[in-house]
Amino acid sequence: MKVRDVMASKGSSEVFTVLPDATVAELLDRLADLNVGALVVSADGSSMVGIVSERDIVRKLRGTSNARETKIADIMTTDVRVCAPDDSFAALMVMMTEHRVRHVPVLEDGKVVGVLSIGDAVKHRMEQLEFERDQLTSYVAGG
C-alpha cells in the first residue's frame, strides 16, 4: 500500500496554504473556516516553506503579548516531515508515530500535492482492517 492510495481514498487532494506574512488572527480564521488542524506555509501556493498547526499556536504563542498579530513565519515549523506519493503507507505511519506529527505534506517534484493527517491514516487503516475482516468472514462462512 502506497501513500498515493491513501490520498486517492481520501477523495480530495486540495492543499490549503497560508502566506508566511499572514497573522495568527488570519490563521485562526482560516483553520476554523476550513475545519483543519494545519496549513502548509507557502508564498506561491505550491512550494512549501513550512507548516503551521494548532500545536504551533499553543506551544509558540504561550505568554506572547499581542499574539494575534504575530506573523506565521515566526511560529511555523520549518523542519517538516514529508513523504512522497510512492512511499509506503506503513513508513508513513511509522514516521507519524516516531516523530509525533499529525500532518504530513506529500511532495512530488518539489511541489506539495497533498497533506495527510493522522485522521486520514487511521481512517484508511480502519477501512483496510474492515475489508480483511469481511474477507475472512466470507471465507469462513464458505462464500
Side-chain angles (χ1 to χ4, degrees):
M1 183 70 52
K2 302 284 186 189
V3 166
R4 179 180 316 281
D5 302 319
V6 182
M7 289 176 54
S9 72
K10 182 177 175 178
S12 171
S13 61
E14 188 170 5
V15 178
F16 300 119
T17 63
V18 65
L19 294 169
D21 62 346
T23 64
V24 169
E26 294 169 306
L27 171 66
L28 294 173
D29 288 341
R30 189 139 168 82
L31 289 171
D33 290 345
L34 296 169
N35 194 30
V36 296
L39 296 172
V40 170
V41 183
S42 175
D44 64 8
S46 64
S47 62
M48 179 180 64
V49 295
I51 193 166
V52 63
S53 70
E54 296 163 330
R55 281 183 171 178
D56 292 318
I57 295 167
V58 170
R59 291 179 178 157
K60 296 177 182 168
L61 291 179
R62 183 176 176 206
T64 302
S65 61
N66 205 13
R68 293 177 58 82
E69 298 307 313
T70 300
K71 299 294 183 192
I72 301 308
D74 295 331
I75 67 165
M76 69 183 183
T77 298
T78 56
D79 182 20
V80 183
R81 303 290 173 180
V82 298
C83 65
D86 288 326
D87 288 350
S88 78
F89 175 63
L92 171 69
M93 294 290 291
V94 168
M95 179 198 345
M96 291 177 116
T97 302
E98 286 182 355
H99 297 284
R100 299 178 49 90
V101 295
R102 297 178 183 175
H103 302 89
V104 177
V106 182
L107 299 182
E108 188 169 43
D109 299 325
K111 304 268 187 209
V112 182
V113 295
V115 176
L116 292 177
S117 71
I118 191 70
D120 298 328
V122 168
K123 180 179 182 241
H124 187 74
R125 183 66 183 129
M126 291 297 297
E127 289 169 356
Q128 283 181 316
L129 291 171
E130 288 170 2
F131 175 77
E132 291 171 12
R133 180 205 60 208
D134 293 346
Q135 293 297 306
L136 287 170
T137 301
S138 177
Y139 176 76
V140 169

